[in-house]
């Protein structure tokens, strides 16, 4: 039997896709959409005092926007978020900023297709269905099945990774469909096991990859013991690259779904890579809290007149 608090959390969580449950508490979405990220994972008296000081800082910013400048972490994470808005991915928008060991920005990137290619968010599903010049799949043999999956897709846009993953799953399931000992339920169970979205089928480079490649295109700069700010926790593919390049600290805002990078790549080996959740004013409220209503010089003149 599940613990009472766990059952209550599941009850109150709700499903944002169901209109009848929109009134329920969607705590996870609230965390992602929050204006300020706070960490309070310790109970020592010193930590409680530090936590109180953090609250006082945010209260001051709410009461008097711009009275305190942003921290370096808030600035760099805001830049990473700003770069994420350039992405044309229809699934997730991610931005990344890489700093060298001296604290200077060496590279920036966002998840998107290669230079000169058209992103999924700029290509309508009819483009795949009506225009023959667009390369759909590498094999002409798979083209009819690709078109069938397109016709079954719902929405105006498609994720090439999802469609290609389904093609590979169906290709493997064909072997079981011809097996008389495997009924429909058996095939469905196998399909669920194989139905994993493969990252290698994604047309886009991830934000961390683009940031690293930008540095190499500029002639290369030393990033060993450097820092990366990324709006989403690195996936397995990016974690390997960050580990190899010598990045020492990773700041992130959102978790990556079903990621194994933390257990496999960041905790294994001789390098100690710090993985720190972002704390501070998030980009949703960056200008609202850090841009003063009046400049201090202008404010002093107003106060003098009154």
């Amino acid at each position: 039997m599940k613990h009472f608090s766990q059952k209550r959390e599941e009850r109150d969580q709700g499903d944002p896709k169901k209109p009848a449950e929109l009134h329920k508490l969607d705590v996870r979405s609230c965390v992602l959409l929050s204006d300020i990220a706070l960490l309070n994972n310790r109970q020592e008296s010193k930590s409680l005092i530090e936590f109180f000081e953090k609250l006082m800082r945010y209260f001051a910013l709410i009461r008097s926007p711009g009275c305190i400048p942003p921290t370096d972490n808030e600035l760099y994470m805001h830049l990473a978020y700003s770069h994420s808005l350039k992405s044309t991915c229809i699934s997730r928008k991610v931005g990344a900023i890489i700093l060298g060991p001296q604290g200077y920005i060496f590279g920036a990137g966002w998840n998107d297709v290669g230079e000169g290619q058209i992103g999924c968010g700029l290509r309508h599903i009819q483009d795949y269905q009506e225009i023959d010049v667009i390369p759909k799949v590498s094999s002409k043999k798979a083209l009819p099945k690709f078109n069938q999956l397109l016709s079954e897709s719902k929405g105006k846009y498609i994720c090439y990774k999802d469609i290609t993953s389904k093609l590979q799953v169906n290709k493997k399931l064909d072997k079981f469909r011809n097996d008389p000992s495997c009924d429909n339920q058996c095939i469905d169970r196998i399909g669920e096991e194989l139905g994993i979205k493969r990252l290698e089928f994604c047309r886009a480079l991830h934000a961390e990859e683009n940031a690293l490649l930008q540095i190499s295109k500029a002639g290369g700069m030393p990033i060993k013991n450097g820092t990366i700010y990324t709006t989403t926790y690195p996936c397995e593919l990016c974690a390997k690259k960050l580990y190899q390049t010598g990045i020492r600290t990773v700041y992130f805002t959102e978790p990556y779904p079903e990621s194994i990078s933390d257990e496999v790549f960041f905790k294994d080996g001789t390098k100690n890579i710090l993985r720190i959740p972002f704390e501070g004013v998030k980009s949703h409220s960056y200008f609202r809290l850090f841009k003063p209503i009046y400049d201090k010089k202008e404010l002093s003149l107003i106060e003098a007149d009154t």
Side-chain angles (χ1 to χ4, degrees):
M1 184 175 180
K2 294 183 178 179
H3 193 271
F4 173 74
S5 60
Q6 184 178 355
K7 292 178 64 177
R8 182 176 58 185
E9 182 179 351
E10 293 177 357
R11 180 199 66 191
D12 295 340
Q13 184 65 33
D15 188 347
K17 297 181 180 179
K18 297 180 180 179
E21 297 188 3
L22 290 178
H23 68 283
K24 293 187 176 181
L25 300 176
D26 191 358
V27 178
R28 295 175 184 173
S29 296
C30 289
V31 172
L32 297 179
L33 297 174
S34 61
D35 295 321
I36 297 172
L38 271 171
L39 296 179
N40 183 27
N41 52 3
R42 294 184 179 180
Q43 298 298 326
E44 294 88 349
S45 58
K46 182 179 179 181
S47 297
L48 291 175
I49 294 174
E50 293 176 352
F51 184 73
F52 178 76
E53 292 175 349
K54 296 176 187 177
L55 291 177
M56 293 301 295
R57 176 176 182 264
Y58 300 131
F59 285 143
L61 285 170
I62 294 171
R63 182 177 178 83
S64 180
C67 65
I68 303 172
T71 64
D72 289 345
N73 285 349
E74 289 169 332
L75 171 63
Y76 295 135
M77 189 59 77
H78 174 67
L79 291 176
Y81 178 81
S82 298
H83 279 77
S84 73
L85 301 180
K86 288 277 292 180
S87 172
T88 61
C89 179
I90 63 175
S91 300
R92 181 180 293 105
K93 296 181 182 293
V94 183
I97 299 289
I98 294 180
L99 278 66
Q102 302 300 324
Y104 299 106
I105 297 177
F106 282 175
W110 57 92
N111 60 317
D112 216 336
V113 294
E115 185 177 356
Q117 296 179 332
I118 301 175
C120 293
L122 300 178
R123 182 177 287 176
H124 198 277
I125 191 172
Q126 291 180 352
D127 295 334
Y128 287 95
Q129 296 171 335
E130 299 176 359
I131 302 176
D132 295 330
V133 296
I134 296 178
K136 301 176 182 179
V137 287
S138 57
S139 173
K140 292 183 178 180
K141 186 178 180 181
L143 187 58
K145 294 183 179 180
F146 186 90
N147 290 332
Q148 180 182 354
L149 290 174
L150 281 180
S151 62
E152 296 173 355
S153 300
K154 298 179 180 179
K156 298 180 180 179
Y157 304 94
I158 64 164
C159 178
Y160 188 83
K161 175 187 65 179
D162 295 348
I163 296 293
T164 310
S165 297
K166 289 181 181 179
L167 276 176
Q168 296 298 321
V169 170
N170 289 336
K171 183 178 179 180
K172 294 180 179 179
L173 287 179
D174 287 340
K175 300 178 181 179
F176 296 97
R177 291 191 179 101
N178 298 326
D179 187 351
S181 63
C182 190
D183 56 11
N184 292 333
Q185 292 183 351
C186 175
I187 294 176
D188 291 339
R189 287 196 300 269
I190 296 174
E192 291 177 359
E193 294 292 331
L194 297 175
I196 301 174
K197 298 176 182 179
R198 305 279 293 275
L199 291 176
E200 62 265 31
F201 295 143
C202 182
R203 297 176 60 236
L205 292 163
H206 286 190
E208 299 91 331
E209 293 174 316
N210 258 329
L212 291 172
L213 290 173
Q214 185 189 79
I215 296 174
S216 65
K217 289 173 68 175
M221 287 170 278
I223 59 174
K224 185 177 181 180
N225 295 325
T227 302
I228 184 169
Y229 290 83
T230 177
T231 56
T232 302
Y233 194 82
C235 70
E236 304 89 272
L237 300 180
C238 295
K240 292 186 289 186
K241 298 177 178 66
L242 295 176
Y243 184 91
Q244 183 65 13
T245 54
I247 290 290
R248 186 172 184 180
T249 308
V250 177
Y251 286 95
F252 64 95
T253 301
E254 302 176 4
Y256 191 89
E258 300 179 2
S259 174
I260 61 172
S261 54
D262 191 50
E263 291 78 6
V264 177
F265 302 113
F266 283 153
K267 290 184 178 179
D268 189 20
T270 58
K271 298 178 183 178
N272 181 23
I273 299 179
L274 301 176
R275 302 167 305 282
I276 305 175
F278 170 74
E279 181 177 24
V281 176
K282 299 172 72 173
S283 289
H284 306 94
S285 297
Y286 188 85
F287 288 105
R288 189 169 56 189
L289 292 180
F290 288 125
K291 189 179 186 305
I293 300 175
Y294 297 101
D295 293 330
K296 290 186 176 180
K297 183 177 180 180
E298 185 179 5
L299 182 61
S300 62
L301 295 175
I302 295 175
E303 292 175 346
D305 292 338
T306 57

